[in-house]
Amino acid sequence: MTTGHVLLGLLSRGQQHGYDLKRAHDAAFPSARPIAPGQVYTALERAAAKGWVELAAVERDGGPDRRVYALTAAGRAELERWAGSTEPPDALLSHPLATRATVAMLALGPDAARAFLDRQRVAVVDRMRELTRTKTDPALTLGERLATDHAIAHLDADVRWLEAAAERVVDLTEEIR
């Protein structure tokens, strides 16, 4: 995902200036890190260089000039191409949980690894419960619901992995004996 493509999506709703795009981004993706104004303008400059957006107007309202951007036909075509393509799964199989469990196993032994996995499982399940309660809030936007569902699904996968890893630690302990 690129910031530029997100901004193309936001511009598809009509002309906007950079600050409006920043606010729209932060409102549409409240669970993401807020976008910095400099990021918005850098992404707009890149998109303009590619012909995806154009300067539609410059507003003067007593303060600094406010540049209003519009999506071009080429920008709409790029947005449709991007939105219609798949996001490739991570190529690397490394994950912080797997790394920590492996280090605990190697450095501290199977009991320490199992204890880490048990503590981590409790932390993940607690977070899943918190998110499950959160997603029932009727004030959540569609974007917030989608992000919450995505996080819960990933946490559920983490729980399954933690349980499988704990079994493997037990199997490895028996194998070593």
Side-chain angles (χ1 to χ4, degrees):
M1 186 209 62
T2 68
T3 301
H5 287 100
V6 171
L7 295 179
L8 293 179
L10 295 172
L11 280 170
S12 71
R13 300 183 304 178
Q15 297 179 0
Q16 299 174 63
H17 56 75
Y19 186 71
D20 284 341
L21 288 167
K22 183 219 178 326
R23 282 196 333 240
H25 171 278
D26 294 350
F29 307 103
S31 59
R33 179 176 294 137
I35 191 169
Q39 252 184 305
V40 171
Y41 291 106
T42 299
L44 287 170
E45 288 172 15
R46 286 186 186 132
K50 293 176 181 176
W52 297 345
V53 301
E54 63 188 2
L55 184 62
V58 176
E59 296 176 349
R60 292 176 175 84
D61 192 19
D65 289 350
R66 291 166 46 136
R67 301 167 70 102
V68 179
Y69 294 88
L71 187 65
T72 64
R76 178 156 304 278
E78 172 57 18
L79 176 61
E80 289 173 4
R81 184 208 62 77
W82 176 79
S85 63
T86 59
E87 185 72 22
D90 287 337
L92 301 176
L93 298 178
S94 177
H95 189 279
L97 291 177
T99 300
R100 192 177 296 228
T102 302
V103 169
M105 179 70 191
L106 293 172
L108 306 172
D111 291 338
R114 198 169 24 262
F116 160 72
L117 293 166
D118 290 343
R119 286 190 310 274
Q120 188 65 42
R121 183 182 184 289
V122 168
V124 170
V125 169
D126 286 348
R127 180 68 175 138
M128 285 176 68
R129 287 182 179 131
E130 177 186 331
L131 289 172
T132 300
R133 283 190 303 273
T134 299
K135 84 177 211 172
T136 62
D137 181 351
L140 286 182
T141 65
L142 176 60
E144 289 170 320
R145 285 187 200 285
L146 289 172
T148 302
D149 286 341
H150 186 261
I152 290 169
H154 276 263
L155 290 169
D156 182 56
D158 285 348
V159 167
R160 289 191 310 264
W161 179 85
L162 288 160
E163 290 169 349
E167 288 177 22
R168 287 191 178 100
V169 168
V170 170
D171 293 344
L172 182 59
T173 304
E174 292 172 5
E175 188 178 296
I176 294 172
R177 290 182 189 169

